[in-house]
Amino acid sequence: DAMVIQNPRYQVTQFGKPVTLSCSQTLNHNVMYWYQQKSSQAPKLLFHYYDKDFNNEADTPDNFQSRRPNTSFCFLDIRSPGLGDAAMYLCATSPGGDGDTQYFGPGTRLTVL
Amino acid sequence: QKEVEQNSGPLSVPEGAIASLNCTYSDRGSQSFFWYRQYSGKSPELIMFIYSNGDKEDGRFTAQLNKASQYVSLLIRDSQPSDSATYLCAVMSGDMRFGAGTRLTVKP
């Protein structure tokens, strides 16, 4: 089945210790997104890639970086996690062009100790 | 700021009733509208999308869009306990903007 996969599903890190979250997709979609969602809040877009073109939201902290080495994979790097970065991190994809429906992976729950 | 507003709830309905979920948005130029269901601790799951004014039905779900009033709603007929979740409204305004969601509880 075509799908969006995120690894790990749960990640525990220490304050200030870098962490990388992974997303892969078999949908062959052009666009990949990273969202941060905290409890009872709307998902907040951090950045997205349209093919290899990187688009950063203006209010995304510099502590967050992303890489998309190929069509299928996208990574979220948090360079120095703080307690406020504990959240669910959601990866989503969309076809691009006229196709703007977004499909989400299962998410990675990040805990910062 | 392009806003998407939803009543946070909780909205409680008895099993078999119609649940009505509402959403308003601020960007009059928005073209695409989506409803996602999110169970606690899980990721959002697409239920429906709607692009044109009027109603769109899919099984027990009906999305309604009124662009003049900047209003989109989701009706769930014959509500089931398994429908208990948070429902996110999302609006494409350049980027996808999400509401914070309405928590729905369907009581047996």
Side-chain angles (χ1 to χ4, degrees):
Chain A
D1 288 342
M3 56 197 311
V4 182
I5 302 163
Q6 290 188 245
N7 285 302
R9 296 291 307 279
Y10 302 91
Q11 176 72 58
V12 180
T13 191
Q14 292 180 333
F15 183 94
K17 185 174 181 181
V19 66
T20 294
L21 309 182
S22 169
C23 178
S24 63
Q25 53 125 346
T26 61
L27 297 163
N28 203 32
H29 283 172
N30 289 319
V31 194
M32 296 187 77
Y33 308 81
W34 280 106
Y35 289 88
Q36 178 194 65
Q37 187 180 27
K38 297 184 177 181
S39 181
S40 300
Q41 295 184 19
K44 178 182 181 298
L45 181 64
L46 297 174
F47 22 61
H48 73 276
Y49 278 92
Y50 198 121
D51 291 329
K52 294 182 179 180
D53 291 334
F54 177 71
N55 297 273
N56 196 33
E57 290 297 295
D59 58 354
T60 298
D62 292 340
N63 196 27
F64 292 86
Q65 303 287 321
S66 184
R67 297 169 282 135
R68 188 179 185 184
N70 54 53
T71 301
S72 300
F73 283 86
C74 195
F75 299 97
L76 171 62
D77 300 309
I78 308 176
R79 293 191 295 185
S80 182
L83 298 179
D85 296 327
M88 174 78 89
Y89 289 87
L90 298 165
C91 175
T93 72
S94 70
D98 292 337
D100 54 9
T101 304
Q102 294 187 16
Y103 300 91
F104 285 85
T108 295
R109 170 73 65 186
L110 178 67
T111 300
V112 181
L113 301 177
Chain B
Q1 184 73 15
K2 299 172 183 175
E3 300 289 344
V4 179
E5 301 288 343
Q6 294 181 256
N7 187 325
S8 63
L11 173 66
S12 181
V13 301
E15 183 174 358
I18 296 175
S20 177
L21 305 162
N22 304 315
C23 172
T24 59
Y25 59 94
S26 63
D27 183 3
R28 190 170 287 278
S30 301
Q31 294 296 319
S32 308
F33 307 85
F34 305 84
W35 283 101
Y36 287 85
R37 177 175 62 200
Q38 187 171 27
Y39 292 112
S40 180
K42 304 296 185 182
S43 66
E45 172 192 8
L46 180 70
I47 298 175
M48 293 186 69
F49 58 85
I50 185 168
Y51 298 147
S52 303
N53 276 330
D55 296 357
K56 179 181 179 182
E57 186 174 320
D58 183 359
R60 295 187 296 113
F61 299 96
T62 299
Q64 299 175 318
L65 175 61
N66 184 326
K67 289 186 179 180
S69 299
Q70 295 175 240
Y71 175 94
V72 59
S73 65
L74 179 71
L75 301 178
I76 306 174
R77 290 182 299 281
D78 189 22
S79 296
Q80 301 296 310
S82 58
D83 295 327
S84 298
T86 296
Y87 289 80
L88 301 173
C89 172
V91 176
M92 181 60 75
S93 300
D95 292 326
M96 187 83 91
R97 299 289 170 177
F98 285 84
T102 298
R103 186 156 59 91
L104 172 67
T105 300
V106 180
K107 295 187 174 181

